[in-house]
Amino acid sequence: EVQLVESGGGLVQPGTSLRLSCAYSGFTFKAYKMSWVRQAPGKGLEWVSTIDSTGARTYYSDSVKGRFTISRDNAKNTLYLQLNSLKTEDTAMYFCEMGGAEVVTRTPRGQGTQVTVSS
């Protein structure tokens, strides 16, 4: 059974940073590209970033490019998202998923981690 556990969210001020983690189990993590998506209150899922299976290639939405960094540790079956220069519009529930940008068409399997950016 695939299990996804996101963590690392919190309430922070604009301009600060957070590091999100996503621990996987139940499948061969290193074989899949992985993505982060987010859902702001009252809105649909938004693709944030994707990393390929080896970590060599990364992709970002225009809204987070230059501020967020996706990475992975295949030895630890863990996916990360470093969030820098946070803005109020980054406030959302963040989810990790197997696959690329197409994951926004599916209901996330994890419980997500809440990021709230407020002064």
Side-chain angles (χ1 to χ4, degrees):
E1 178 185 359
V2 173
Q3 290 188 331
L4 317 169
V5 180
E6 300 96 341
S7 62
L11 172 61
V12 297
Q13 293 186 336
T16 60
S17 300
L18 281 174
R19 189 191 195 202
L20 308 184
S21 298
C22 174
Y24 272 76
S25 63
F27 69 102
T28 307
F29 178 72
K30 63 182 180 181
Y32 292 86
K33 58 184 174 181
M34 302 293 298
S35 293
W36 286 96
V37 298
R38 66 187 181 184
Q39 186 167 27
K43 297 187 177 181
L45 285 172
E46 175 192 9
W47 171 73
V48 174
S49 182
T50 296
I51 187 167
D52 73 1
S53 60
T54 66
R57 295 186 179 183
T58 57
Y59 309 88
Y60 300 93
S61 68
D62 287 343
S63 62
V64 307
K65 194 175 298 181
R67 300 187 298 119
F68 291 7
T69 303
I70 191 172
S71 61
R72 65 192 296 162
D73 186 335
N74 286 346
K76 296 181 178 180
N77 281 3
T78 304
L79 179 72
Y80 302 100
L81 187 68
Q82 178 69 39
L83 290 64
N84 296 332
S85 302
L86 281 161
K87 304 177 180 179
T88 55
E89 52 262 44
D90 294 319
T91 295
M93 186 72 79
Y94 285 72
F95 302 91
C96 56
E97 265 298 346
M98 301 163 55
E102 76 280 358
V103 301
V104 297
T105 64
R106 305 197 298 258
T107 300
R109 282 173 282 193
Q111 84 288 352
T113 187
Q114 178 67 40
V115 173
T116 303
V117 185
S118 175
S119 56

